[in-house]
Amino acid sequence: MTIQLPLVNGALRTYEPRTEPLALTPGTPFTSRTVFSAAHVVADPFADSTPDSPAAVDWDATLAFRRHLWSHGLGVAEAMDTAQRGMGLDWAGAAELIRRSAAEAHSVGGRIACGVGTDQITGGTVAEIRAAYEEQLAVVEEAGAQAILMASRALAATARGPEDYLEIYGHLLRQAAEPVVLHWLGPMFDPALEGYWGSSDLDAATDTFLEVISAHPDKVDGIKVSLLDAQREIDLRRRLPQGVRCYTGDDFNYPELIAGDEKGFSHALLGIFDPLGPLAAEAVRVLDTGDTPGFRALLDPTVELSRHLFQAPTRFYKTGVVFLAWLAGHQSHFTMVGGLQSARSLPHFARAYELADGLGLFPDPKLAEERMKNLLSLYGVNQ
């Protein structure tokens, strides 16, 4: 049982897929870390839509995938970047996703936090941006979910300096019903967020970010940092007020950040925990027992796959995430809202398949192999 996989130079090489997946079973929530998977949405492949039309979502498959994550003890971070927020999923679609997923979470006892942004507008005054945030915060709170205050493209374009960030975030935190998670998403994930917190100097931006938190520590459950800079995250989490958690969003360095050091550790809110869900859950349960080497032994080998999926342009990592969900049998097709399945190359897919198969991520390796061969045949690679 072999498969011919294309290399970046156009050559083919023979790969022998594994025959057995890892034995990973559902389990209870974790005790030592709070862990969210930022989950993707499943497109409706039969919808007559275009990249410019509103997203057509397969709600049954989308919610089934969330039940899969909850069954392994993971929380779901909903309507985030992984769900193609601002890249195919508009605010109307995100609001429906939030309502449906929150209701599903309540019905099965799953943990959920949802993204609050300003993507119903593309620009405007500070007052208009604040109102857009308020509208989305109300939807999330009415759904009974925890709020994640996401970075705003509109605010990045409009803000005159740190004072506008302090004003808007301070206002939102004062009115939030429950403590929220603040999300700092770097420009490698979204180029429109360059200079967030009022400066392209990350040290200055960090000071503003911390000023927002220190002014309202009782309203900040934690921060999610997605800058792909492990040392900066460590330095930042050591400066947080007591009781404010750091949720790593670093898809390059997550094992070491979650494991932590003598001065603390990071919790997790990660896009890579969408395809890694069951394996990541198993690793955290090992960490719950105090076995840090065992945790690292399980999770360290996944970093190569994560770095591959999140390679530049990083914002297209969603394509690899959905591709692996298709190979794993979580959905019947490889179609994405906005046509984003075209955002990565065939050699990229081939390497993602090989790395994921090597980790034992596919519950049915034979199905994954057959689907990979079908994709290869569409590109003219005969087996």
Side-chain angles (χ1 to χ4, degrees):
M1 187 172 66
T2 61
I3 183 171
Q4 299 296 311
L5 297 178
L7 304 174
V8 292
N9 63 4
L12 298 175
R13 78 179 201 70
T14 300
Y15 174 70
E16 183 175 346
R18 63 185 295 159
T19 57
E20 297 292 335
L22 284 180
L24 300 170
T25 58
T28 57
F30 319 116
T31 59
S32 65
R33 303 290 188 274
T34 300
V35 180
F36 290 97
S37 166
H40 73 281
V41 294
V42 182
D44 179 355
F46 300 110
D48 185 14
S49 59
T50 70
D52 294 329
S53 61
V57 177
D58 181 337
W59 294 111
D60 289 341
T62 293
L63 295 176
F65 187 74
R66 280 136 184 81
R67 291 193 296 271
H68 155 72
L69 294 172
W70 285 320
S71 75
H72 286 275
L74 296 156
V76 168
E78 190 56 275
M80 301 292 291
D81 183 53
T82 308
Q84 293 179 246
R85 195 75 183 267
M87 291 182 68
L89 189 71
D90 61 11
W91 166 235
E96 185 172 3
L97 176 63
I98 288 165
R99 294 186 182 103
R100 286 175 178 261
S101 289
E104 194 73 17
H106 298 325
S107 71
V108 302
R111 182 166 185 168
I112 188 167
C114 300
V116 171
T118 64
D119 46 336
Q120 70 270 54
I121 62 174
T122 56
T125 65
V126 169
E128 289 168 336
I129 293 167
R130 183 175 63 242
Y133 264 128
E134 289 173 335
E135 177 190 354
Q136 296 201 13
L137 179 61
V139 169
V140 170
E141 291 185 339
E142 287 168 6
Q146 183 179 18
I148 303 170
L149 295 186
M150 301 194 300
S152 163
R153 292 176 179 174
L155 181 55
T158 299
R160 296 157 297 177
E163 63 277 4
D164 286 334
Y165 291 90
L166 293 169
E167 191 276 323
I168 283 185
Y169 277 90
H171 179 87
L172 293 170
L173 289 172
R174 283 190 295 272
Q175 75 174 63
E178 301 291 342
V180 307
V181 176
L182 297 179
H183 185 191
W184 185 357
L185 189 69
M188 68 288 293
F189 288 93
D190 187 344
L193 299 176
E194 180 66 44
Y196 212 73
W197 303 111
S199 178
S200 293
D201 180 326
L202 289 180
D203 291 335
T206 297
D207 289 342
T208 302
F209 188 43
L210 287 168
E211 187 175 348
V212 168
I213 298 164
S214 63
H216 308 277
D218 59 322
K219 286 297 189 73
V220 181
D221 165 73
I223 63 169
K224 178 187 187 293
V225 187
S226 300
L227 298 175
L228 303 184
D229 183 335
Q231 190 56 53
R232 182 167 292 278
E233 178 176 323
I234 291 169
D235 293 342
L236 177 55
R237 80 184 181 202
R238 290 176 179 172
R239 296 174 64 187
L240 291 174
Q242 185 71 27
V244 176
R245 291 184 272 195
C246 180
Y247 294 92
T248 187
D250 188 332
D251 300 278
F252 282 6
N253 305 291
Y254 51 93
E256 64 189 83
L257 291 166
I258 297 170
D261 54 31
E262 68 282 356
K263 295 184 179 179
F265 56 82
S266 295
H267 300 271
L269 198 167
L270 289 161
I272 192 56
F273 280 8
D274 178 306
L276 291 184
L279 178 54
E282 180 69 19
V284 176
R285 287 194 186 88
V286 170
L287 186 60
D288 285 347
T289 70
D291 183 3
T292 301
F295 165 80
R296 295 294 298 268
L298 282 170
L299 214 53
D300 282 359
T302 69
V303 171
E304 185 178 5
L305 170 63
S306 188
R307 291 190 173 214
H308 177 73
L309 296 182
F310 284 78
Q311 67 184 222
T314 302
R315 63 188 181 278
F316 294 127
Y317 77 88
K318 279 82 79 173
T319 300
V321 165
V322 175
F323 169 67
L324 293 182
W326 172 56
L327 293 185
H330 293 299
Q331 53 195 79
S332 61
H333 59 88
F334 179 35
T335 305
M336 298 178 66
V337 298
L340 207 64
Q341 66 271 13
S342 65
R344 292 294 198 187
S345 69
L346 184 62
H348 180 90
F349 293 137
R351 183 60 178 157
Y353 162 73
E354 182 178 358
L355 290 170
D357 180 73
L359 291 168
L361 295 184
F362 301 131
D364 184 345
K366 184 62 177 175
L367 175 66
E369 180 194 358
E370 290 172 353
R371 289 185 168 183
M372 187 68 217
K373 286 181 175 178
N374 286 339
L375 182 70
L376 289 168
S377 69
L378 291 176
Y379 281 79
V381 180
N382 297 316
Q383 299 296 314

